[in-house]
Amino acid sequence: MLGNNIRKHRKMKGMTIVELAGRVHPDGDFYSHLSRIELGKLACSVETIFSIAHALQIKPSELLEIEDSWQEAVNYNIH
């Protein structure tokens, strides 16, 4: 979910993963870390979520939103 949301917002902004990584950590190599986050292979800290959201100019909560169709399926199975 987090990785998909990062990718979705990054693409909506017309940014490459390299551009976003540079905005999140301009002094370091964040590309491989961000790539693994987007692929769902690496968890990240709340601080990193805030940094990514800031770089994308969105609210951190937007990176944690569950897609409506998935949420509807979960709600259906609960009832």
Side-chain angles (χ1 to χ4, degrees):
M1 167 186 70
L2 175 64
N4 289 337
N5 287 343
I6 292 170
R7 185 180 309 108
K8 176 182 77 174
H9 286 284
R10 175 177 60 76
K11 289 185 176 193
M12 285 173 38
K13 299 283 183 173
M15 296 171 62
T16 66
I17 194 168
V18 173
E19 290 171 324
L20 179 56
R23 289 184 184 192
V24 175
H25 286 287
D27 298 333
D29 180 27
F30 188 65
Y31 168 78
S32 62
H33 189 77
L34 181 57
S35 177
R36 293 185 313 196
I37 293 169
E38 279 196 4
L39 293 171
K41 295 183 177 185
L42 182 67
C44 64
S45 67
V46 171
E47 180 181 329
T48 300
I49 292 171
F50 273 76
S51 296
I52 293 169
H54 179 73
L56 290 169
Q57 299 177 330
I58 61 173
K59 297 175 187 175
S61 61
E62 292 180 70
L63 295 178
L64 301 173
E65 289 179 347
I66 298 173
E67 292 183 28
D68 292 338
S69 59
W70 188 84
Q71 190 172 13
E72 287 173 12
V74 170
N75 288 340
Y76 176 79
N77 289 327
I78 291 173
H79 297 293

